[in-house]
Amino acid sequence: MGKLVAGRTGLNEKEAIAADLDYFVTLTSGRSHAGYYPGSKEMWIKYVVENATGRLLGAQIVGRDGVDKRIDVLATAIIGGMTVSDIIDLELAYAPPFGAAKDPVNMTAMVAENILTGVSKPITWEEYFSQDPKSKLVDVRSGEERKTIYIQGTDHIPIDELRSRLDELDPETPITIHCRIGQRGYFTEQLLKGRGFKNVQNLAGGWRSMWGELAEDKLLGQEPDEDE
């Protein structure tokens, strides 16, 4: 029996394009339940969101546990015409063995709202690879993480050292930030913008979101599968 569960509801990107809808996507990583409680599993969540209204058009989730109940919630949200702002405020069942205080459904909606309001503008790996010339790619993970696996051609400034090493970055040079799943990249994006950097992008989903395409010729090393 397979180890992964995949689910979807509403429109995917191809269907949104066919319907001539103006949309954007979010890609985030979450846990099936509270991370400090044993047995939580990683899941990846993608929202398709209407630009003008913030209405959720579709969602896809891949993970090992808890995919079905998130798809049920999001299917109901789509039928109800809910926006990502509405989804942020959903009160979902919580106990450490079953979910986090802020469920991945809520957290992904927060990411989408940040895009809608202009707080953040993540970039996908596809968009990054299509850049000509490409922006400077900076890895903000820890030194221990980088020893295990890293992307060739990246600069390395751990987020904990960023404030003391800002002089290594040029505020006028386009910069793309990456971490493992995107969260530290977002924090770095906001820090740099606050320090006057004008052209900063965060790679949505970190390097994990591009694992298959990067594994053969751009990644050095191997990250252990935490869910094995």
Side-chain angles (χ1 to χ4, degrees), residues 72-209:
D72 284 345
V73 170
L74 295 170
T76 304
I78 291 170
I79 291 297
M82 295 179 75
T83 67
V84 291
S85 297
D86 296 326
I87 294 170
I88 289 173
D89 293 330
L90 286 177
E91 291 284 350
L92 303 175
Y94 163 65
F98 307 108
K102 283 293 185 182
D103 193 86
V105 163
N106 305 110
M107 298 302 291
T108 305
M110 290 179 186
V111 171
E113 187 174 61
N114 281 342
I115 295 171
L116 275 173
T117 57
V119 171
S120 178
K121 180 60 174 77
I123 182 175
T124 66
W125 279 106
E126 291 81 3
E127 290 169 333
Y128 174 75
F129 287 134
S130 68
Q131 288 180 346
D132 187 21
K134 292 182 177 59
S135 56
K136 178 192 284 289
L137 186 57
V138 180
D139 180 354
V140 296
R141 297 173 304 143
S142 71
E144 288 303 309
E145 288 175 280
R146 190 169 171 87
K147 286 178 185 176
T148 305
I149 190 168
Y150 68 93
I151 301 171
Q152 296 186 60
T154 54
D155 290 357
H156 180 226
I157 304 178
I159 188 170
D160 291 342
E161 301 175 13
L162 187 63
R163 287 179 175 84
S164 63
R165 296 176 60 182
L166 282 176
D167 59 349
E168 297 179 28
L169 298 174
D170 180 359
E172 303 302 321
T173 298
I175 297 171
T176 300
I177 306 298
H178 94 80
C179 58
R180 181 178 182 274
I181 61 171
Q183 185 179 50
R184 284 170 290 179
Y186 167 76
F187 295 151
T188 301
E189 175 193 8
Q190 300 308 309
L191 190 156
L192 291 178
K193 286 179 177 177
R195 295 298 184 93
F197 288 73
K198 302 298 185 185
N199 195 344
V200 184
Q201 304 170 124
N202 175 31
L203 277 164
W207 68 258
R208 285 281 286 179
S209 67

Side-chain angles (χ1 to χ4, degrees), residues 30-49:
R31 307 297 299 188
S32 57
H33 59 254
Y36 57 82
Y37 191 90
S40 73
K41 304 296 184 183
E42 190 173 46
M43 65 173 65
W44 286 89
I45 304 177
K46 181 178 182 178
Y47 283 178
V48 180
V49 182

